[in-house]
Amino acid sequence: MPHPLDAAALQAALPPLSGPLRLSGLKAPVTVHRDAWGIPHIQAKGEADAFFALGAVHAQDRLFQMELNRRRALGRAAEWLGAPAADSDALAHRLGIEAASRRDHEAASPEARDMLAAYVAGVNAFLSSGAPLPVEYGLLGTQPEPWEPWHPIAVMRRLGLLMGSVWFKLWRAAALPVVGAENAAKLRYDDGGRDLLCIPPGVEAARWQADLAALAPAITALLEASGADATGGGSNNWAVGPSRSATGRPVLAGDPHRVFEVPNMYAQHHLACDAFDVIGLTVPGVPGFPHFAHNGRVAYCVTHAFMDIHDLYLERFDAAGAKTQTAGGWQPVTRRTETVQVRGAAPRTIDIVETVHGPVIAGDPGNGTALALRSVQFAETDHSFDCLPRMLRTGGVEELFTATRGWGVIDHNLVAADISGHIGHLVRAKVPRRPRSNGWLPVPGWTGEHEWQGWIAHEDMPVAINPPGGVIVTANNRVVDDSHPDYLCTDCHPPHRARRIAELLAEGPHAPEAAGAIHGDTLSPIALLLRERLAALPVRSDAAQAAMHARLLDWDGRMTAGSEAASAYIALRRALTAILAERSGLAGLSGHPWLSPSPGVAPQNQLWWALPALLRADDASMLGGWSWEQAIGAALAQAATTPTQPWGEAHRPRFIHPLSPLFPDSAALLDPPALPIGGDGDTVLADGVVCTAGPAAAYGPLARYAFDVGNWEASRWAVFHGTSGQPGSPHYADQNIPWSACEMVPMRYDWRGIEAEAKATQTFTP
């Protein structure tokens, strides 16, 4: 057992970041300047050396994270993390991430393959440079393994793995026998009364409801199959054209929301060579700038678009589990066995079954039925990496959108602005054509009525360039209404964040320095909705209940860090969600095999998001004979027993290093500090809670950014801990203070200033 870490061990593990470093494989010297926040600014001569240097710098700062994410992608994380990682490793094996990533590398363009080869060569050159290893390797008693050119594709695939519709379909399928078809169709995100669309900006529309008649075959099949027995997150972004900007130039801003993983999914980098000069957020383990960056001519950013890119098929198996029924007759399945190695435990053998639709991810074929997944992320060759080098050199919004043709690994609202004054929004995604009925539930795999019919063309994806009004806002809300000729999505986030951002932008010309105030807005429309329902309740005789009741009625609905009423609201909503789960019978679905694919689906977490729509419609059909007044009264009685404290303290996140649970004596040095923060999942400051886990923020903005398009030195950004993944680095957690206050640090782009003010400079030499 290794000794607990101390400060000396952390310092000894840091690689030198100044002076010369010889790296075999470079063609010419590369200079790396690090600014006051430790952000690397990399200058190379040619493209190959630039990607090589990015790989080396990623390994300097984030080697352990890179390898852990590669292991997670390939189903090998449990070798390091033990039994808690075994289920997700098993899913990675079932999905065949390794085979899909190797396939995509073989089919990649020559330019993409060159980029990948150069990047991986840089990683491996750093591994051979003699630099000290991160402290995590000493704790684990292991050594890093070399990289291969297809590995970055696997890392990228893992980061967006199964985001979106698959979890909602599994949830409704499990709930169907408990609450019936009509109520199961209500188990989705709140629509706020009416959806706010991304395209056209500012337009509202009614949300498409389930056609229960069209779904009848799927409902019948699912009920027969069950007779024998999601996640938080999201993102905001907005673009303001010159006519709506205080500068006369476009402004592009936003923040990506994900679960708080340590180290951060993103790292700030600046990479320049004779072909491009790009600054933005990179993904350690991946070359290029896939999500957020500018190249001096055009800036771009993304949010999750919630396109439906995953279908679930209920498969019928023969008695031997060797064949499945299809429209063309019985077809043999493919079986293989793979092994997951588990630290401190016996290996796990995984029996993998694949049908004509894809791998079985839930249920047991031996019982006659199981659920198979067909996903854009695995079903056919993906060409997303072909887009990465093209995006670096684009000169404007339309050229950028053309450069993304073929992107498919995860779906995005790609929003951009350029120095000519143009703004635009493209849904960057690869979406199959198939019936709308595929969007609600797993569908029968044997009828032939739910098969994919080719792909929606790049030219047919929703797009808006220079829309009337000069403003674009996306916040995971619905992209287009359901009159669109192609089926795109069923489930998307509520319109609350997008609507609030649009309201704030409408108050006057928008300046880049005002982005932080929008990032930090804490007004919760759901808090106001619940306050309205509380107003109808009589004053409580119990003193604690009366005090909570009065506090919430006097509250303005803002989830500020200092508010005790905000803490009371979350306690009340959690109690009300638990009551809904119990009285509907849905709480009993915990552990259901269809909700078991890692990371699993918790009924209360899903009901947290469905609750507001039921309240707004006064729909008590899942309350087991109670009214909402009875349920709210009972929830108030429960919540009033919870001690109140300022919301920022109750909501303070805990940033947990992946090795802290294994090495608790070292956790204090591995876990970055965190300050109190406000917001919740319904506010623009989307520091969200997981209902079953308590009030602490479990996800939120991994980064914030504001591009002053054309005046690049005025752009700003921040990440939630720091640019380094090394716990001993002064830049491991130095951005948490500005991030917690919704402030940002300078995004330095001008090379003269960078060189003059660099805090450390290093030269990579061949």
Side-chain angles (χ1 to χ4, degrees):
M1 189 74 177
H3 294 294
L5 293 176
D6 57 23
L10 296 186
Q11 291 302 306
L14 297 178
L17 300 181
S18 60
L21 178 64
R22 296 190 66 183
L23 295 175
S24 177
L26 272 178
K27 297 182 176 67
V30 174
T31 303
V32 183
H33 299 291
R34 291 179 182 264
D35 64 22
W37 298 93
I39 298 167
H41 301 261
I42 306 167
Q43 279 185 308
K45 182 172 178 56
E47 284 189 63
D49 279 353
F51 292 125
F52 181 105
L54 181 61
V57 170
H58 272 167
Q60 275 186 322
D61 291 343
R62 301 289 190 102
L63 180 61
F64 168 74
Q65 175 193 19
M66 291 165 61
E67 186 160 2
L68 179 57
N69 280 341
R70 180 179 63 182
R71 285 173 171 269
R72 285 168 166 157
L74 302 182
R76 296 185 56 201
E79 295 175 20
W80 280 6
L81 304 182
D87 285 344
S88 57
D89 277 1
L91 182 61
H93 282 274
R94 293 188 197 285
L95 296 175
I97 294 179
E98 176 173 343
S101 301
R102 288 180 179 272
R103 173 202 67 199
D104 294 349
H105 178 259
E106 289 299 313
S109 68
E111 184 179 36
R113 288 167 64 96
D114 288 347
M115 173 189 68
L116 288 161
Y119 176 84
V120 165
V123 176
N124 290 333
F126 179 78
L127 294 181
S128 302
S129 70
L133 292 177
V135 293
E136 292 91 345
Y137 288 93
L139 288 173
L140 293 167
T142 189
Q143 295 286 314
E145 296 178 4
W147 282 62
E148 298 180 32
W150 60 274
H151 284 161
I153 299 176
V155 170
M156 191 72 178
R157 184 169 261 116
R158 179 257 161 188
L159 293 175
L161 189 65
L162 301 188
M163 284 180 65
S165 62
V166 63
W167 309 106
F168 308 117
K169 294 176 185 180
L170 287 170
W171 162 235
R172 287 190 287 263
L176 177 64
V178 178
V179 298
E182 185 174 352
N183 280 333
K186 302 171 187 173
L187 298 177
R188 59 199 302 211
Y189 281 116
D190 175 30
D191 67 356
R194 283 177 67 82
D195 265 329
L196 180 68
L197 305 180
C198 296
I199 299 175
V203 172
E204 293 188 344
R207 182 172 291 188
W208 177 52
Q209 300 299 318
D211 181 344
L212 296 180
L215 291 175
I219 292 167
T220 300
L222 288 165
L223 289 172
E224 289 173 354
S226 62
D229 312 283
T231 100
S235 303
N236 305 315
N237 65 15
W238 60 91
V240 172
S243 66
R244 298 290 299 275
S245 165
T247 67
R249 299 180 300 272
V251 178
L252 186 68
D255 50 357
H257 311 149
R258 294 279 295 247
V259 171
F260 293 124
E261 285 187 353
V262 174
N264 192 342
M265 170 180 163
Y266 291 116
Q268 298 149 302
H269 284 88
H270 183 185
L271 184 65
C273 64
D274 54 11
F276 53 77
D277 185 351
V278 182
I279 189 168
L281 297 173
T282 63
V283 175
V286 176
F289 296 78
H291 298 153
F292 310 90
H294 82 75
N295 64 5
R297 298 182 299 277
V298 59
Y300 58 87
C301 56
V302 301
T303 64
H304 185 202
F306 274 82
M307 297 293 101
D308 188 356
I309 62 172
H310 316 287
D311 276 350
L312 286 161
Y313 291 86
L314 182 67
E315 305 282 33
R316 285 178 178 166
F317 293 83
D318 66 4
K323 295 180 179 180
T324 56
Q325 186 180 7
T326 72
W330 289 88
Q331 298 292 326
V333 303
T334 300
R335 289 185 178 270
R336 68 181 188 276
T337 299
E338 297 185 8
T339 301
V340 172
Q341 301 294 332
V342 183
R343 181 184 180 89
R348 285 181 52 179
T349 300
I350 311 299
D351 185 26
I352 300 169
V353 178
E354 292 185 358
T355 75
V356 293
H357 295 115
V360 170
I361 66 164
D364 181 2
N367 292 333
T369 58
L371 296 178
L373 172 72
R374 183 166 178 80
S375 170
V376 168
Q377 294 182 331
F378 303 96
E380 297 187 26
T381 302
D382 179 69
H383 291 280
S384 296
F385 274 69
D386 293 357
C387 304
L388 293 179
R390 297 197 299 253
M391 291 170 63
L392 300 175
R393 298 186 296 266
T394 54
V397 169
E398 292 195 57
E399 188 180 344
L400 173 75
F401 290 174
T402 299
T404 66
R405 180 187 300 273
W407 184 277
V409 72
I410 187 64
D411 53 299
H412 291 133
N413 293 302
L414 178 64
V415 177
D418 63 33
I419 57 175
S420 297
H422 304 299
I423 62 173
H425 169 201
L426 169 73
V427 175
R428 179 177 72 169
K430 188 175 181 181
V431 182
R433 280 199 165 97
R434 80 280 208 207
R436 289 180 184 269
S437 55
N438 284 36
W440 289 89
L441 295 161
V443 291
W446 56 86
T447 66
E449 296 175 0
H450 300 279
E451 305 302 321
W452 292 6
Q453 305 293 327
W455 301 94
I456 300 173
H458 177 85
E459 293 79 7
D460 293 336
M461 294 305 292
V463 63
I465 296 178
N466 298 326
V471 174
I472 293 168
V473 177
T474 86
N476 316 113
N477 51 309
R478 186 167 299 277
V479 175
V480 293
D481 72 22
D482 291 303
S483 65
H484 191 273
D486 290 301
Y487 165 60
L488 295 172
C489 80
T490 296
D491 298 281
C492 57
H493 269 213
H496 312 311
R497 288 183 283 116
R499 183 170 284 127
R500 180 61 178 161
I501 292 168
E503 289 173 357
L504 294 170
L505 291 173
E507 292 178 356
H510 183 53
E513 57 269 23
I518 296 180
H519 287 142
D521 188 78
T522 60
L523 183 64
S524 169
I526 306 307
L528 298 177
L529 171 65
L530 195 51
R531 190 185 68 180
E532 289 176 13
R533 298 304 300 252
L534 277 170
L537 291 184
V539 176
R540 321 303 285 180
S541 58
D542 177 86
Q545 293 180 44
M548 177 177 273
H549 192 198
R551 179 183 294 123
L552 288 169
L553 290 182
D554 290 341
W555 179 44
D556 62 3
R558 294 183 182 272
M559 304 296 295
T560 56
S563 171
E564 290 193 1
S567 292
Y569 155 67
I570 292 295
L572 177 64
R573 183 169 170 183
R574 290 182 67 213
L576 187 58
T577 303
I579 288 169
L580 174 61
E582 289 298 329
R583 295 198 64 81
S584 66
L586 293 171
L589 291 175
S590 294
H592 189 288
W594 289 356
L595 305 184
S596 63
S598 181
V601 180
Q604 278 188 226
N605 294 341
Q606 293 295 320
L607 289 171
W608 174 272
W609 294 104
L611 173 68
L614 298 174
L615 265 179
R616 189 179 294 107
D618 200 29
D619 183 344
S621 57
M622 285 184 271
L623 283 178
W626 276 18
S627 68
W628 278 109
E629 285 69 26
Q630 288 174 285
I632 294 169
L636 184 64
Q638 292 180 29
T641 65
T642 304
T644 57
Q645 60 179 324
W647 176 234
E649 286 298 333
H651 198 43
R652 184 197 295 255
R654 185 180 172 203
F655 302 139
I656 301 175
H657 188 284
L659 295 190
S660 290
L662 284 177
F663 304 101
D665 291 344
S666 298
L669 293 175
L670 292 173
D671 296 346
L675 294 173
I677 56 176
D680 78 346
D682 295 306
T683 66
V684 179
L685 179 57
D687 295 313
V689 304
V690 173
C691 180
T692 53
Y699 65 89
L702 303 189
R704 297 187 179 94
Y705 55 88
F707 296 111
D708 186 341
V709 178
N711 182 24
W712 302 113
E713 278 295 289
S715 301
R716 300 182 72 81
W717 55 357
V719 293
F720 76 86
H721 63 86
T723 199
S724 177
Q726 298 263 28
S729 168
H731 303 296
Y732 187 51
D734 57 334
Q735 292 185 52
N736 184 252
I737 293 174
W739 176 89
S740 298
C742 291
E743 297 172 353
M744 292 176 279
V745 305
M747 186 189 297
R748 303 306 307 273
Y749 188 65
D750 180 78
W751 283 102
R752 291 169 298 179
I754 291 166
E755 292 165 2
E757 299 175 23
K759 301 302 181 184
T761 298
Q762 187 169 44
T763 302
F764 296 164
T765 59

